[in-house]
Amino acid sequence: MRRIRILIWKELIELRQDPRLFGIVILAPIIQLFALAYAATTDVRNVPIVVADADRSASSRALIARFDASPSFTVSGVVSAANDVDPFLEQSEAWLAIAIPPGYHQRLVSGQPAPVQLLADGSDANSAGVALGYATALIGGYAQELAAPRAAAGSVAVGGYEPRVRVWFNPRLESRDFMIPGIVALLLLVVTTNLSSMGIVREKEVGTLEQLNVTPLTRSQLIVGKLVPYALIGLVDVVLVLTIAVSWFEVPLRGSVWLLFGTTLIYLLTTLGLGLFVSTISATQQQAMMTTTFFFLMPMVLLSGFVFPIENMPAAIQPITYLIPLRYFLVILRSIFLKGVGLETLWPQILALAAWGVGILSLAIMRSSKTSA
Amino acid sequence: MRKVLSVGRKEMRQIARDSRTLMILVFIPAFFLLIYGYALSFDLRNIALAVDDRDRSVESRSLIAAFVNSGYFRLVADVRSSDDLTRLMDRGEARIVLVLPAGLSRDLAAGRTVPVQLLLDGDNANAATTVMNYAQTIVLSESARYRLEAGVPGSLPIVAEPRVWYNPRLESALFLVPGLMGYIIMITAVVSTALSIVREKERGTMEQVRMAPLGALSFVLGKTVPYFVISFVSALGILLVAMLMFGVPMHGSWPLLLGTIALFLVGALGLGLLISSVADSQQVAFQLALLASFLPTLMLSGFIFPIASMPPFLQGVTYVVPARYFLVALRGIVLKGVGLEVIGPQLVALSLYSSVVLLLASARLRRQWS
């Protein structure tokens, strides 16, 4: 125990000697959280649209006014012929073009259905899809309003359905509440894996690992002694970013704070263990950096469900995601924040995460004894 | 020029010695595009649907069938109690629950409008919005169908006819693959150069370089050359995968596309070199490289989150993310087939960015040397 304490002390001294690293490790997650949390919104607001109004009537102007008044859209231009919208879409000045054909007013008045064309820029398929959905819904709602007095006049009672939407957990559908817990998890991953992945290989490169090898320190003591100081830094980061998430961005924290910290600690074990493992299998810091970035960080970001839902992935890829610890932690974090559920629901994820952490740490210990024996 | 080349040759020899690194740099990017391009998608299919059918009539079953037959929904559970419902939602086993009230068929027959409740799991707001739009459309069109069958012209006075340009089937692959290309190229380039200068500082070989009759700028440029060659090769691999495997079209000009890629590479490599000249240890360089490229390229480039929806001050920040310009130019060239007249500003911005980072890196080195 005393040996581990001394090693921890040595690591902390080394960290203090590199003040820039210390500053980056503490400050960078905060700055990034601020920038990324504001960026992470897929909510459609102020989508620029262009209208080709070939009808130029009171009715067509009423429809345009509808779009302009909606917070989702901004009318950035009105042209008179359908072909004139091309440059707007080509230069991405508008995501969506609405073409009102001549005779729109005439058809509306005479009770015929009046078609309105919606042209979307599909090169950003995600935003285009969402914007199209909103535009279709807006026109549908407007049409129903126009239809209501007519139906009353006809006074034929015919049944129908009326959809009533209720959203649980995130009633205003704020994508930020969903993204911020994810960003927190990612920032912790980036900072801690990076710290620990260089931890042992640096000593190898500088040549001080030999000195550590001749001390009576065992392999597992070496790993644990490396782990603890990084875990301490990680914990400081955890407290900082979680505080900002809750107090500044007002992400609702509906579950238990203790469960949140407990599971985050387990998560830190997996990220640090991962870094240490990389450190034991790399010969140089460059190799450690490449391995961490390409084989761990990138798959974690893209395949964990952080932005791309796992259920959208092809069946062949989905099993791979079970190998990614971030996958479990994201479910845990988002559920504790937004759904307020506890151990009784989350135990499978927590168990998987813990198994991962113990597994990778044991691997790191085994590898380190092999490489320097 | 000769000095630049000899620095380049020295660097090349060093890279060739570490075969793991070289392999990663050349082959992994294209391989990753293959995996991620295949894996990632925003297209929602097989949305987990649970049904709470309190009517159990012909009409209620036909409404459920309309959801299942749409191809978007997959029936996962039949809700029997409110405990069932809470459990399903808490565990995220159902994204949407369709609640059909008792007396639905009776009310329909009596000519009343029946409220159909759509209960959504809002935790992933983006997916939930899409699911909501799908579900509402299905309910409304079923309603119209019912009215039509009852002999009433159920059509609404205005009909929206959506049409999509450049990507008619709204395949997210066509928009994600260019984004992924930018992302992977950026990370590969920054990561490859981020350690290249600081490593010499840490090992002490920087002193030798300093003694050589070599300006800081030619040293920095010389460091760029081999990495430029490597990452250009790997970018070509990525391009090949994108076009052959994912059917990314090519509507624009080839020289323009290759020139854009080259400009972007110089900027990204330059950023790596700048980081390397600023950092005192490889560990700091690694941290800085990740912070500067890993998440910002993903989140601030317009790859996933539309820049237009960001708050104004953050839109300002996105101007220093080179992938921002690259993505606009790339999508413009391959998907829209536009030329220099449209993407000129992006290319100017990329050239500016590249020159600034390279000059900053050499200025920084010159200060350290003197």
Side-chain angles (χ1 to χ4, degrees), chain A residues 137-200:
Chain A
L138 190 144
I139 292 182
Y142 183 50
Q144 231 158 16
E145 262 177 52
L146 290 181
R150 245 188 253 175
S155 74
V156 202
V158 175
Y161 301 118
E162 179 200 352
R164 285 199 188 151
V165 178
R166 248 181 58 199
V167 180
W168 276 23
F169 308 128
N170 185 2
R172 287 185 302 136
L173 283 178
E174 288 272 353
S175 50
R176 210 160 271 160
D177 289 351
F178 172 71
M179 292 306 300
I180 287 180
I183 296 174
V184 166
L186 265 188
L187 286 176
L188 289 179
L189 175 76
V190 168
V191 171
T192 54
T193 321
N194 163 297
L195 271 178
S196 55
S197 69
M198 297 288 209
I200 290 179

Side-chain angles (χ1 to χ4, degrees), chain A residues 106 125 130 174 238 254 265 270 291 313 349 355 359-360:
Chain A
Q106 209 56 50
V130 177
E174 288 272 353
V238 169
R254 303 204 172 100
L265 204 62
T270 69
T291 315
M313 295 175 193
Q349 275 82 13
I360 196 76

Side-chain angles (χ1 to χ4, degrees), chain A residues 128-298:
Chain A
V130 177
L132 264 186
Y134 273 99
T136 316
L138 190 144
I139 292 182
Y142 183 50
Q144 231 158 16
E145 262 177 52
L146 290 181
R150 245 188 253 175
S155 74
V156 202
V158 175
Y161 301 118
E162 179 200 352
R164 285 199 188 151
V165 178
R166 248 181 58 199
V167 180
W168 276 23
F169 308 128
N170 185 2
R172 287 185 302 136
L173 283 178
E174 288 272 353
S175 50
R176 210 160 271 160
D177 289 351
F178 172 71
M179 292 306 300
I180 287 180
I183 296 174
V184 166
L186 265 188
L187 286 176
L188 289 179
L189 175 76
V190 168
V191 171
T192 54
T193 321
N194 163 297
L195 271 178
S196 55
S197 69
M198 297 288 209
I200 290 179
V201 70
R202 192 182 51 223
E203 308 238 11
K204 248 187 248 175
E205 226 178 44
V206 184
T208 47
L209 193 63
E210 295 301 310
Q211 294 170 23
L212 278 178
N213 279 343
V214 296
T215 61
L217 212 58
T218 66
R219 306 294 164 227
S220 48
Q221 282 171 340
L222 173 68
I223 296 287
V224 173
K226 287 271 177 189
L227 192 77
V228 172
Y230 300 144
L232 286 179
I233 297 178
L235 268 183
V236 174
D237 280 334
V238 169
V239 174
L240 283 173
V241 289
L242 285 181
T243 312
I244 294 172
V246 173
S247 58
W248 180 272
F249 289 104
E250 295 176 345
V251 181
L253 176 54
R254 303 204 172 100
S256 136
V257 179
W258 296 113
L259 188 62
L260 187 66
F261 274 106
T263 48
T264 311
L265 204 62
I266 301 177
Y267 175 65
L268 279 184
L269 280 189
T270 69
T271 59
L272 290 170
L274 200 65
L276 286 175
F277 173 68
V278 172
S279 208
T280 57
I281 60 167
S282 304
T284 62
Q285 295 187 58
Q286 170 124 32
Q287 282 187 357
M289 178 179 182
M290 298 273 172
T291 315
T292 313
T293 312
F294 287 108
F295 294 103
F296 293 103
L297 294 183
M298 232 193 222

Side-chain angles (χ1 to χ4, degrees), chain A residues 186 189 274 290-308 310 313 317 320-327 330 356, chain B residues 28 31-32 35-36 39-40 180 183-184 187 294 298:
Chain A
L186 265 188
L189 175 76
L274 200 65
M290 298 273 172
T291 315
T292 313
T293 312
F294 287 108
F295 294 103
F296 293 103
L297 294 183
M298 232 193 222
M300 290 228 207
V301 171
L302 297 174
L303 298 180
S304 63
F306 169 55
V307 268
F308 300 96
I310 293 175
M313 295 175 193
I317 298 284
I320 299 178
T321 63
Y322 288 106
L323 297 176
I324 296 177
L326 184 57
R327 175 204 163 119
L330 279 179
W356 223 98
Chain B
I28 286 296
F31 175 66
F32 273 10
I35 293 186
Y36 297 137
L40 306 181
L180 274 174
Y183 186 57
I184 296 175
I187 306 257
F294 202 67
L298 187 69

